[in-house]
Amino acid sequence: RQRRCGVESVRVDLSMTFQFELIATDGRARAARLSLHPRESRTPMFMPVGTQGSVKGLTSKQMEDLRCQTVLGNTYHLENRPGSDLLKELGGLRRFNNWSGGTLTDSGGFQMVSLLDLAEISEDGVTFQSPIDGQQMMLTPERSIHVQNGIGADIIMALDDVVSSVHHESSRFEEATRRTLRWIDRCVAAHRRPSEQALFGIIQGGLDQTLRDACVEGLRARNDNLPGYAVGGLAGGEEKDAFCRVVAQCTASLPDDKPRYVMGVGYPLDLVVR
């Protein structure tokens, strides 16, 4: 049975170089065009992970042949090696890895989970001990944005306080949610290239509906400074039903005229969860 789709043409200029156009909807499913001047991506899409700028085992030409649209890099690991100063000197991440498509950098927040044993989290930020040489790096909201400004990705992520979705202490989720909202203001204030790089806010709150609602409400209060939104803190071992419930809850409250990024997913079904 063929379903009718609601066809729309809603074009929003979110910055000088970042445009979002909602092309069609079917229920809460959406097809859209994301313009990262002069590149264009169609959503929904999957972004392969190039932690240190490139996807392991594939050349940039092979990525293009596979019709990959946007590659994700990681702020913490890129700052460790080769460093944002060098990337900036070379013309940014895209020039560094000879990639013609879109780029996005994670803020380094996920390392609070993946490198938890090497991290110390406080209100100021998070201090990591490098798994490479043991040196410490203090990643504050300001430094995360400064580093991402140097890396030069099209889309950059706010530093958030990330807790594994299967963590057992509810108080830690509440602390992380409130801190994520405090940190977003510091990220916005530190952003020096808003006309060139789109800053996305990240929704936290674990599997708690009340905390998720509070985080969405807090980020929407800062909507003018956020060209897009992400749902974070999932794909960490929770049941698939819980994952779907949280994604549906968060996206139902987000503005229609901005892109949405579900972080950490790795299965085709996850792309169309609604």
Side-chain angles (χ1 to χ4, degrees), residues 10 12 14 20-22 30 223 227 254-260:
V10 180
V12 182
L14 300 170
F20 177 74
E21 183 178 3
L22 186 60
R30 312 184 330 154
N223 187 60
L254 291 176
D256 293 329
D257 60 350
K258 293 192 176 181
R260 302 162 182 177

Side-chain angles (χ1 to χ4, degrees), residues 7-29:
V7 179
E8 306 181 35
S9 182
V10 180
R11 189 177 184 87
V12 182
D13 294 339
L14 300 170
S15 73
M16 291 178 62
T17 60
F18 185 81
Q19 297 175 333
F20 177 74
E21 183 178 3
L22 186 60
I23 300 171
T25 61
D26 183 0
R28 283 163 59 182

Side-chain angles (χ1 to χ4, degrees), residues 34-98:
L34 195 61
S35 297
L36 309 168
H37 183 75
R39 294 152 296 278
E40 181 179 284
S41 297
R42 297 292 186 105
T43 68
M45 66 174 174
F46 174 76
M47 293 183 292
V49 176
T51 299
Q52 291 186 289
S54 60
V55 178
K56 291 182 179 179
L58 293 174
T59 66
S60 294
K61 178 62 168 59
Q62 288 172 319
M63 296 291 290
E64 292 174 6
D65 292 343
L66 291 170
R67 299 183 181 179
C68 172
Q69 301 180 84
T70 300
V71 172
L72 185 154
N74 182 271
T75 295
Y76 170 74
H77 291 292
L78 285 168
E79 180 68 348
N80 263 332
R81 296 182 302 181
S84 57
D85 290 340
L86 178 59
L87 287 171
K88 184 177 181 179
E89 181 181 339
L90 294 173
L93 181 60
R94 188 177 294 105
R95 291 284 298 276
F96 175 74
N97 62 9
N98 191 33

Side-chain angles (χ1 to χ4, degrees), residues 203 211-221 229 250 253-254:
I203 304 164
L211 290 178
R212 287 284 176 175
D213 283 341
C215 200
V216 171
E217 182 180 356
L219 290 178
R220 290 204 61 170
Y229 295 85
C250 293
S253 300
L254 291 176

Side-chain angles (χ1 to χ4, degrees), residues 141-156:
E142 293 81 7
R143 184 174 184 189
S144 174
I145 297 301
H146 174 76
V147 170
Q148 291 184 83
N149 284 163
I151 294 171
D154 301 304
I155 299 172
I156 65 176

